[in-house]
Amino acid sequence: DGTHYASRRGRKLNLHRTLDVTPVLAKAGAIVPMAVMEEGSNSVENPKVLELIVCPGGNNSYTIFEDDGSTDGYLQGKYFETVCTMDWDGKSFTLEGKGDLSVMPEKREYRITFRGFDRFAPEGEGVEKVSYDAATRSVTVYMQPVSPNAKLELVLTGAQRETNADAVERCTDFMMMAHIPTAKKVAIKDLLASGKDTITILEELLADGVDAR
């Protein structure tokens, strides 16, 4: 059901990151809801601002289930569901909520972040602004606050996975942190910028004694 990484299949990945970064893997089309809280807040109420992290490459649907968080009222139907749908083939993203509004804030602001995308311009009713973060390849759509049971739809014309156009720059930045002689770093940098295909670069790195795994 989409491209993802599974340790059960025996595949091992070496993920190299700095100490302040925790690698997180998500399958193609993943939708991850994250509450946006004020700094220092310990509120357990359902959030007024909700960010959705959406990954490229696959169709997916995810239902957010919310209740009052303190009683078993959900057993009597006191709950609210928001269905989030990523239509990768049709290039659209929709949100549609239904249920008991008493457990929800009067208005909710959605921030929808498309992570791992080249820059594009989502369109739809209620879009307040769109920003792009080149470091994380993220297009973030800030929606106007709406009733939780409102239906929202974004048209994702031109949306595509990141093309790694800056791969040389990223590899160079990573390499500069490696504990290898400066002369070798310069040689590797020149190789990365040579325009050769990936396989050729890896073969030359291995021939030069660099572990490229």
Side-chain angles (χ1 to χ4, degrees):
D1 58 347
T3 303
H4 63 286
Y5 303 98
S7 59
R8 292 176 298 175
R9 296 181 181 177
R11 181 176 183 181
K12 180 180 179 181
L13 300 176
N14 293 320
L15 301 176
H16 302 282
R17 297 291 187 274
T18 54
L19 292 176
D20 61 334
V21 174
T22 301
V24 177
L25 301 180
K27 74 173 186 177
I31 301 170
V32 183
M34 301 178 63
V36 179
M37 311 293 288
E38 294 182 4
E39 187 174 352
S41 172
N42 292 317
S43 174
V44 294
E45 295 181 353
N46 293 322
K48 293 181 179 179
V49 183
L50 190 68
E51 181 176 15
L52 300 170
I53 307 295
V54 183
C55 299
N59 300 322
N60 192 24
S61 181
Y62 182 86
T63 300
I64 303 171
F65 181 95
E66 298 171 272
D67 60 11
D68 61 20
S70 58
T71 73
D72 61 0
Y74 66 93
L75 295 174
Q76 286 76 47
K78 194 176 181 180
Y79 62 85
F80 194 88
E81 293 181 322
T82 304
V83 179
C84 316
T85 304
M86 175 62 173
D87 183 354
W88 178 252
D89 297 329
K91 291 295 183 287
S92 69
F93 182 82
T94 58
L95 292 171
E96 187 167 10
K98 62 179 181 179
D100 191 334
L101 286 170
S102 69
V103 301
M104 300 294 288
E106 182 179 354
K107 297 284 186 180
R108 170 166 282 175
E109 176 189 335
Y110 288 100
R111 298 177 188 174
I112 306 169
T113 296
F114 297 93
R115 179 70 50 81
F117 285 73
D118 281 342
R119 187 192 295 267
F120 72 102
E123 298 179 334
E125 186 176 347
V127 173
E128 198 164 66
K129 70 173 183 176
V130 178
S131 67
Y132 183 71
D133 181 2
T136 60
R137 286 84 187 158
S138 297
V139 176
T140 298
V141 183
Y142 296 81
M143 305 295 295
Q144 297 174 355
V146 295
S147 171
N149 62 358
K151 181 177 181 179
L152 302 177
E153 181 172 5
L154 293 175
V155 178
L156 312 180
T157 303
Q160 63 178 10
R161 297 174 190 260
E162 57 177 310
T163 54
N164 289 320
D166 61 345
V168 172
E169 180 183 349
R170 294 163 61 189
C171 289
T172 300
D173 290 342
F174 174 75
M175 180 193 61
M176 295 308 291
M177 297 185 290
H179 295 287
I180 57 178
T182 300
K184 180 162 286 190
K185 289 183 180 182
V186 173
I188 294 173
K189 180 179 178 180
D190 291 342
L191 178 59
L192 292 172
S194 67
K196 296 179 180 179
D197 63 86
T198 303
I199 299 299
T200 300
I201 290 176
L202 290 174
E203 289 175 344
E204 293 191 24
L205 287 174
L206 289 171
D208 197 35
V210 176
D211 186 348
R213 291 176 296 174

